[in-house]
Amino acid sequence: MNDSFDHIGEVLRNAETIAIAGHVRPDGDAIGSIVALGHSLMLAGKKVRILSEDKVPLNLAFLPEVGLVEQPPESIENLDVAVALDTAVKDRLGDNVNRVFAGAKVLVNMDHHGTNPRYGHLNYIEMTSPATGQIIFDFLKSQGLPMDAVVRDHLYTAISTDTGSFQFSSTTAHTHRIIAEMMEAGSQFWELCQKLYNTFPLRRLLLQKALLNEMKLSAGNRIASWAMSHELQSEIGTQPGDTEGLIDMLRGIDGVISPVIFEEMADGRVRVSVRSKDERLDVSKVCLVFGGGGHRMASGARMAGPLAVAEQRFLEALEDEIKRIG
């Protein structure tokens, strides 16, 4: 059962020092949510530290006040409340963030992943929400906390990126009402969208070229996959954020119900990102087999290498699940 917004709001109002963080390898929802909440609490007079285990990806570095995001210090003196956002399991905050958070009197966990085990002292997990940013909007509004243009830009980024620019089935009428309300408050998001969706470094185009050349179809053309080697990433000079949204190129293939990208990491492990276009296919179940999780229609895992072995093992499990649904 969720703790109420009023309870969480009371804890934050009574706190003097607050730390906020999202998951490792932060995406638009993670960065948008932590900066939106953090900046709003700063406007309300709170001392806030906004933390991230990994640096803000370059594709989001243009966002306003994103310089507030810092990598974790050794500790934060007199830390009253730590807030974990958009992070399905505590380990995904990162070792350094968890070290800082261990010094907090209270840990608040707000998220939209159905696999979240409610690891906070206070928890608000809404798996029907398409983005943690949507939860943060509702929380700020319910508590009468400030929402200036900076907060609105970050909330839009969070919601827009995690809904596939409002294309995914998780998008609700309430989602659109939130965007309309922020526009009525004075925000115009077209410039933000240009930077989010229509401005890419050459590196990104080279990755797209490799994807199109190397992608594979399997399971009767119902799975489209691509294995991205560390060697290719080094050759192109890939930076954090360059791969965001690449999976949508596979997702758009007619007849494909599950696109998958395998990304070989520097430590030899393999990051798996998988989507479902058929509501009968719960890809989080497949990811759970390999220690991952997420949403029914969008999930991920980190597997032991080598890349070819991880690719084969995961695709076999995914194909078995597709056969099961018929």
Side-chain angles (χ1 to χ4, degrees), residues 23 26-37 60 62-63 85-86 112 129-137 150-166 168 170-171 175 178-179 182 189 192 196-197 244 295:
H23 56 76
D27 57 7
D29 195 17
I31 294 297
S33 295
I34 64 176
V35 177
L37 178 60
L60 299 174
F62 70 88
L63 289 168
L85 300 181
D86 196 41
H112 71 133
S129 178
T132 298
Q134 182 163 309
I135 297 171
I136 298 305
F137 176 92
V150 171
V151 173
R152 293 194 297 270
D153 275 0
H154 280 272
L155 290 174
Y156 182 91
T157 298
I159 296 168
S160 176
T161 55
D162 240 34
T163 58
S165 193
F166 312 102
F168 297 162
S170 57
T171 306
T175 307
I178 287 172
I179 304 305
M182 291 197 294
F189 296 119
L192 187 59
L196 281 173
Y197 301 116
E244 287 299 318
H295 305 290

Side-chain angles (χ1 to χ4, degrees), residues 247-314:
I247 199 168
D248 293 330
M249 297 184 70
L250 300 177
R251 189 177 183 272
I253 300 171
D254 188 23
V256 167
I257 65 171
S258 187
V260 193
I261 287 183
F262 301 93
E263 180 182 347
E264 187 177 32
M265 301 165 65
D267 62 5
R269 291 184 299 163
V270 178
R271 179 176 181 247
V272 184
S273 299
V274 59
R275 303 289 183 266
S276 171
K277 290 167 61 178
D278 187 326
E279 291 188 353
R280 298 173 300 163
L281 176 62
D282 183 354
V283 291
S284 70
K285 286 175 58 178
V286 182
C287 288
L288 281 170
V289 173
F290 300 101
H295 305 290
R296 184 180 188 88
M297 308 291 281
S299 199
R302 293 192 179 196
M303 299 175 63
L307 178 60
V309 173
E311 179 185 11
Q312 181 179 352
R313 290 179 63 209
F314 190 89

